[in-house]
Amino acid sequence: MEFDILQQLNEEQRAAVTCTEGYVRVIAGAGSGKTKALAHRYAYLVQELGIATANILCVTFTNKAANEMKTRIRSMIGDSDTGLVATFHGFCVRLLREDIHTMQYPEHFMILDSEDADTVLKNVYQENKIDSRAYTLTMAKDMISFRKHREDYLSWFLEMDLEKLREKYLNSPNPREQIFYGYLYEQRKVFGLDYDDLILSALYILKNFEEKRHKWQEKLEYIMVDEFQDVSAAQYELADLLSGYHKNLFIVGDPDQTIYSWRGADVHYILNFDKHHPDTQTIVMDRNYRSSPEILDVSNSLIAKNRLRVEKSLKPIRQAGRKALYNHARTVKEEAEW
């Protein structure tokens, strides 16, 4: 079976699949087959090393990517349990369903999506006569998220009883404080966690309850993280903490494709990974199967100007095609019509 798995891969992909131990960083350029390498690595761990799927965590960034990964994996290993192929938030929900009792929350806590958060905020705005035109719901959610990631709010939030939290909310001196503490109060009333809370609560449990940390660290023998160029500080800390026992952390991404700095992503985590873990093996996947040489010539010349990157130049596999066209439209409408 090993021959069947590896024969479909090029040299760099094969290295990514078979370098199973320790810290491994894969710099995977656009169109270089990173999803294929990830799925094959998972299958290799199961079929060649005999690792149970319950002991492999594979984290992607979207539900769509996670479902595609599961489909590819099952095509190779059969209909096995791939519940730990998930998004960061999906994995944290699984952890919290098991261990959130340490925070005095029920197992079936409520997950607040963006619409739920809007409903909560509208109640706070109405109760405090806050003008939503002067301070929009989007501004409020950004402020709450910012504060949650930069303040150790869970340590006091969980210890404060509901009435004291309401008192703190009602005595808030300005709209920003009213919104923040009112939102936390409304959350506590329904045992609700928003998307920020899912990751921050999982981290809180792992950092503050040693037996829970050891349980998850020992369970997860191999951890793989996709799109590592877009991880936030909390996501990086989560992956690093979970891999602290077996020290088998495989990351894949491309510093040239980071797009989520506006929501906390920090490209330095992939760039400096080998500095945090000096024994890191780095593999560069630079064969592009998607675009023509003409397109890659243009993109390589532009990407080379990025200051924060790992040096690479994508190599075309496809045959030559038409010359790349350049069009600078005056408006968005003109661009769309062109």
Side-chain angles (χ1 to χ4, degrees), residues 15 30 39 61 71 85 90 94 117 140 153 173 192 198 201 236 242 244 259 323 337:
F61 263 78
T71 299
V85 178
R94 181 161 178 160
Y153 76 103
L198 294 176
S201 296
Y236 176 82
L242 289 169
I259 58 173
K323 285 185 64 177
E337 289 173 346

Side-chain angles (χ1 to χ4, degrees), residues 179-230:
I179 290 168
F180 183 64
Y181 291 111
Y183 182 83
L184 293 182
Y185 169 70
E186 294 290 338
Q187 277 191 273
R188 271 287 291 281
K189 280 203 307 186
V190 296
F191 292 107
L193 299 180
D194 62 23
Y195 292 142
D196 287 320
D197 297 319
L198 294 176
I199 292 179
L200 295 173
S201 296
L203 271 174
Y204 177 85
I205 291 170
L206 292 170
K207 289 159 73 173
N208 289 280
F209 298 92
E210 187 177 1
E211 73 280 8
K212 302 302 182 186
R213 179 171 68 253
H214 288 166
K215 179 186 82 171
W216 285 100
Q217 285 180 331
E218 290 178 26
K219 174 184 174 68
L220 301 175
E221 297 179 34
Y222 292 88
I223 298 173
M224 298 188 282
V225 183
D226 191 15
E227 305 291 5
F228 205 79
Q229 77 277 356
D230 286 322

Side-chain angles (χ1 to χ4, degrees), residues 8-272:
Q8 306 171 33
L9 307 174
N10 65 35
E11 183 180 348
E12 295 82 17
Q13 291 169 339
R14 196 176 298 119
V17 168
T18 56
C19 288
T20 58
E21 307 308 302
Y23 295 97
V24 182
R25 176 179 63 172
V26 175
I27 305 298
S32 62
K34 70 177 179 62
T35 304
K36 181 177 183 179
L38 272 165
H40 279 70
R41 189 176 195 269
Y42 190 108
Y44 186 83
L45 289 172
V46 173
Q47 295 186 326
E48 298 304 321
L49 272 63
I51 308 300
T53 59
N55 301 122
I56 306 171
L57 173 63
C58 181
V59 180
T60 66
F61 263 78
T62 65
N63 288 321
K64 181 180 178 182
N67 289 333
E68 180 185 351
M69 189 75 67
K70 288 180 180 182
T71 299
R72 292 199 188 200
I73 289 168
R74 285 173 179 162
S75 71
M76 289 183 280
I77 68 172
D79 194 21
S80 300
D81 176 23
T82 52
L84 286 177
V85 178
T87 62
F88 272 106
H89 292 105
F91 167 73
C92 288
V93 169
R94 181 161 178 160
L95 182 152
L96 292 170
R97 294 291 184 209
E98 288 191 30
D99 293 322
I100 200 169
H101 61 272
T102 58
M103 295 169 48
Q104 310 305 315
Y105 260 54
E107 174 187 346
H108 298 291
F109 58 87
M110 180 183 292
I111 299 174
L112 304 176
D113 62 19
S114 185
E115 289 184 10
D116 295 326
D118 287 347
T119 301
V120 168
L121 287 169
K122 285 173 184 176
N123 291 338
V124 174
Y125 276 45
Q126 186 174 6
E127 188 169 17
N128 294 277
K129 297 181 172 54
I130 297 171
D131 185 359
S132 61
R133 290 169 297 182
Y135 206 88
T136 67
L137 297 181
T138 298
M139 290 166 61
K141 287 188 287 189
D142 287 345
M143 178 270 291
I144 291 166
S145 178
F146 181 87
R147 287 186 64 165
K148 282 185 173 182
H149 280 275
R150 282 159 181 78
E151 298 178 15
D152 185 19
Y153 76 103
L154 279 171
S155 58
W156 59 260
F157 173 67
L158 296 172
E159 293 174 2
M160 188 177 291
D161 66 44
L162 196 59
E163 283 309 308
K164 286 187 178 179
L165 184 55
R166 178 166 174 77
E167 188 179 325
K168 190 173 181 67
Y169 156 46
L170 294 177
N171 293 327
S172 294
N174 56 60
R176 286 176 66 88
E177 297 298 292
Q178 289 171 340
I179 290 168
F180 183 64
Y181 291 111
Y183 182 83
L184 293 182
Y185 169 70
E186 294 290 338
Q187 277 191 273
R188 271 287 291 281
K189 280 203 307 186
V190 296
F191 292 107
L193 299 180
D194 62 23
Y195 292 142
D196 287 320
D197 297 319
L198 294 176
I199 292 179
L200 295 173
S201 296
L203 271 174
Y204 177 85
I205 291 170
L206 292 170
K207 289 159 73 173
N208 289 280
F209 298 92
E210 187 177 1
E211 73 280 8
K212 302 302 182 186
R213 179 171 68 253
H214 288 166
K215 179 186 82 171
W216 285 100
Q217 285 180 331
E218 290 178 26
K219 174 184 174 68
L220 301 175
E221 297 179 34
Y222 292 88
I223 298 173
M224 298 188 282
V225 183
D226 191 15
E227 305 291 5
F228 205 79
Q229 77 277 356
D230 286 322
V231 297
S232 65
Q235 291 164 338
Y236 176 82
E237 187 176 9
L238 183 65
D240 206 45
L241 190 61
L242 289 169
S243 62
Y245 181 76
H246 294 287
K247 302 189 184 304
N248 292 323
L249 177 57
F250 175 91
I251 67 164
V252 58
D254 183 2
D256 293 326
Q257 295 187 68
T258 186
I259 58 173
Y260 288 120
S261 57
W262 56 273
R263 71 175 188 195
D266 189 341
V267 72
H268 290 90
Y269 289 124
I270 190 169
L271 290 173
N272 297 330

Side-chain angles (χ1 to χ4, degrees), residues 276-296:
H276 296 152
H277 304 290
D279 52 349
T280 295
Q281 301 177 71
T282 296
I283 299 163
V284 178
M285 288 170 42
D286 56 5
R287 301 190 208 189
N288 178 282
Y289 293 87
R290 185 183 300 159
S291 303
S292 66
E294 291 81 2
I295 294 295
L296 292 184

